Amino acid sequence: MDPSQLLYAKTHEWAFVEEQDGGKVATVGISAFAIEALTDLVYLELPKVGAQTTAGQPFGEIESVKAVSDVYAPVTGEVIAVNEELPNKLESLNDDPYVGGWIARIKITDDSGLANLLDQPAYEKQCQEEG
């Protein structure tokens, strides 16, 4: 996926939103900036298929040698798929965070939160400010 086509949460999750079966589905992952900041990943907890997500609320967890961090849902909806291979291939998050490193696909049930997500230029500016 082209990072310029993604939307970003201020908490460093990305979302690729597309129309599917008359609704919107977001493929969700963690940005390269966040993966680099976490370094040495050791564990990822995926959400469960069928789980409800609320934009801005935790829906998973990622652990590095430095810290345990929540993974926040960038959209409100229902988890319809998860990348089951990812917890056993955490290197995918470093090598290819925007394709092989996707975490979940969420069927959006309330798209009002999409307006709170950043486009790539705004997200890059935020990352520069965080250093």
Side-chain angles (χ1 to χ4, degrees), residues 66-105:
K66 291 169 51 175
V68 177
S69 302
D70 286 326
V71 179
Y72 295 91
V75 297
T76 297
E78 177 185 350
V79 177
I80 58 172
V82 295
N83 188 349
E84 294 178 4
E85 295 178 6
L86 192 57
N88 297 321
K89 292 184 171 183
L90 291 175
E91 65 275 9
S92 296
L93 289 167
N94 290 313
D95 298 341
D96 195 8
Y98 302 112
V99 178
W102 70 277
I103 294 174
R105 292 198 166 93

Side-chain angles (χ1 to χ4, degrees), residues 2 4-5 30-31 33 47 62 76 79 81 85 87 91-92 95 97 99 106 122 124 126:
D2 181 350
S4 70
Q5 297 178 331
I30 301 171
S31 74
F33 177 85
I62 191 161
T76 297
V79 177
E85 295 178 6
E91 65 275 9
S92 296
D95 298 341
V99 178
I106 300 172
E124 286 181 354
Q126 176 190 311

Side-chain angles (χ1 to χ4, degrees), residues 4-127:
S4 70
Q5 297 178 331
L6 306 177
L7 297 172
Y8 298 87
K10 292 179 180 177
T11 50
H12 302 291
E13 292 79 14
W14 57 263
F16 177 73
V17 179
E18 58 190 329
E19 297 286 331
Q20 200 172 82
D21 299 328
K24 292 181 180 175
V25 173
T27 301
V28 174
I30 301 171
S31 74
F33 177 85
I35 297 300
E36 187 176 321
L38 287 167
T39 67
D40 298 329
L41 302 174
V42 294
Y43 176 76
L44 173 68
E45 177 187 293
L46 296 171
K48 295 192 182 330
V49 172
Q52 300 297 311
T53 64
T54 301
Q57 297 298 310
F59 81 123
E61 196 172 87
I62 191 161
E63 182 177 346
S64 71
V65 294
K66 291 169 51 175
V68 177
S69 302
D70 286 326
V71 179
Y72 295 91
V75 297
T76 297
E78 177 185 350
V79 177
I80 58 172
V82 295
N83 188 349
E84 294 178 4
E85 295 178 6
L86 192 57
N88 297 321
K89 292 184 171 183
L90 291 175
E91 65 275 9
S92 296
L93 289 167
N94 290 313
D95 298 341
D96 195 8
Y98 302 112
V99 178
W102 70 277
I103 294 174
R105 292 198 166 93
I106 300 172
K107 184 175 183 178
I108 298 172
T109 57
D110 177 0
D111 64 0
S112 63
L114 292 175
N116 296 327
L117 299 176
L118 307 172
D119 61 13
Q120 186 185 30
Y123 179 68
E124 286 181 354
K125 182 179 177 192
Q126 176 190 311
C127 292

